[in-house]
Amino acid sequence: MPPSNTLPGTRARLSVLGRDMTTAQSTEIFSIGGDLPVHRLGYGAMQLPGQGVWGEPADRDGALRVVRAAVEQGVDFIDTADSYGPFVSEQIIAEALHPYPENLVIATKAGLTRQGPGIWTPVGRPAYLKQQAELSLRHLKVDRIDLMQLHRIDADVPLADQLGAFKELQDEGKIRHIGVSEVSVAELAAAREIVEIVSVQNLYNLTTRQSQDVLDYATAEGIAFIPWFPIATGELAAPDSPVADIARELGATPSQVALAWLLQKSPVVLPIPGTKSVDHLTENLGAARLTLSDEDMARLDALA
């Protein structure tokens, strides 16, 4: 069954572009897998490494600051992956936050390999996936990964073998929950025949909605839907973005409107906007208290 939490029906406007100490905890709670409660506006750590999601960031101290600021501003769900760097993102998270706050949920992923900046190659061999999960445990400095997601399905390896590797680690107590990423409805249904799937992470935002059917399925089944690139890698945050006019009317920024739209599309959506800037982080979290009217939602829906 889908979760019962719904967004309030009253309309709110942002008066200071989200810089009034609004925190992620202004959003409602969704329980991933039924036992990991998180506020619905999280933080995506893909941008922490260097250019092309490769190597060390130009400003490591700045990366540490933004991760710490995310938690200070109420974020209790952080999404990362072994391939971000590789491992740089996980290492920065651990350096910034370990020992972790008790309520912090960290999700990571395995299944994409890196051969250079901007290059991503799926590898789903069970031994490799188990090795990467063990390395993520080490880099994140945890005994158990809250949510381990298959970053991509490797077409050359049976899906049962790929998810089976995570299930073995789950049985050993090293993984709490399992999710999948960038899948079709048929692939998600097939995955659920193999193991319990509690989350799906697909590309989805105001202007990119090819995964609408997956979101509809996740909503009906109460599965967390984690949209990656929730503000289209910044394109929706630009002053001339498709949502700029509506944002001005609401006294908000385009990125806040794009995130608020996601939050109101379904109660299972957990947006994870990423940034290297504390100012942009604070701006993004301002979406937590922006409620769009039915008219606003209809105008935004028409932008697809």
Side-chain angles (χ1 to χ4, degrees):
M1 296 292 292
S4 59
N5 48 328
T6 56
L7 287 167
T10 57
R11 184 171 183 174
R13 291 174 180 266
L14 295 176
S15 57
V16 210
L17 301 183
R19 298 177 185 276
D20 56 354
M21 299 310 292
T22 298
T23 74
Q25 296 192 9
S26 300
T27 57
E28 293 173 338
I29 289 175
F30 180 89
S31 288
I32 299 172
D35 62 359
L36 284 178
V38 298
H39 290 87
R40 289 181 53 219
L41 193 51
Y43 175 74
M46 183 177 181
Q47 294 189 32
L48 292 178
Q51 188 173 3
V53 199
W54 182 261
E56 287 289 329
D59 180 7
R60 188 179 179 91
D61 288 341
L64 294 169
R65 280 195 300 272
V66 76
V67 173
R68 291 176 182 135
V71 172
E72 289 166 1
Q73 295 188 42
V75 168
D76 53 16
F77 177 58
I78 295 177
D79 178 85
T80 185
D82 68 333
S83 55
Y84 298 166
F87 293 118
V88 172
S89 176
E90 292 180 335
Q91 292 166 353
I92 288 173
I93 290 168
E95 183 178 345
L97 300 175
H98 191 270
Y100 300 111
E102 185 176 353
N103 66 335
L104 181 65
V105 173
I106 299 177
T108 193
K109 299 180 282 293
L112 281 178
T113 63
R114 305 300 305 283
Q115 293 74 43
I119 303 173
W120 311 78
T121 305
V123 173
R125 295 190 301 274
Y128 175 77
L129 293 175
K130 292 174 73 173
Q131 167 192 287
Q132 295 307 101
E134 294 283 359
L135 288 171
S136 288
L137 286 166
R138 185 185 310 171
H139 290 300
L140 288 168
K141 299 182 180 180
V142 294
D143 296 323
R144 181 172 65 174
I145 294 168
D146 292 326
L147 174 60
M148 172 58 80
Q149 302 156 99
L150 182 61
H151 209 159
R152 289 294 185 278
I153 294 175
D154 182 346
D156 294 329
V157 179
L159 181 58
D161 292 351
Q162 296 174 67
L163 293 175
F166 289 163
K167 182 64 168 65
E168 289 180 25
L169 293 171
Q170 188 178 52
D171 292 343
E172 294 171 11
K174 295 178 179 179
I175 289 174
R176 187 167 185 168
H177 289 301
I178 299 171
V180 290
S181 179
E182 209 51 36
V183 294
S184 66
V185 170
E187 289 168 335
L188 177 53
R192 296 182 73 202
E193 293 292 322
I194 300 166
V195 294
E196 181 182 3
I197 298 295
V198 304
S199 70
V200 56
Q201 185 166 160
N202 276 24
L203 173 62
Y204 185 84
N205 56 53
L206 243 175
T207 55
T208 307
R209 302 186 209 171
Q210 67 263 34
S211 289
Q212 184 64 53
D213 59 342
V214 180
L215 173 56
D216 293 341
Y217 179 96
T219 301
E221 297 296 321
I223 298 170
F225 184 91
I226 307 167
W228 57 275
F229 287 174
I231 52 177
T233 61
E235 290 179 9
L236 291 174
D240 60 347
S241 84
V243 300
D245 289 343
I246 295 175
R248 279 191 291 270
E249 293 173 16
L250 295 172
T253 67
S255 64
Q256 289 167 346
V257 172
L259 292 168
W261 178 85
L262 282 169
L263 288 168
Q264 289 185 218
K265 285 300 287 183
S266 167
V268 306
V269 171
L270 278 62
I272 48 166
T275 179
K276 295 180 181 179
S277 162
V278 174
D279 286 346
H280 289 162
L281 168 75
T282 303
E283 176 187 333
N284 289 339
L285 295 182
R289 69 178 197 86
L290 175 62
T291 302
L292 303 171
S293 69
D294 290 344
E295 179 185 356
D296 295 330
M297 289 295 289
R299 289 172 64 190
L300 291 166
D301 285 343
L303 294 176

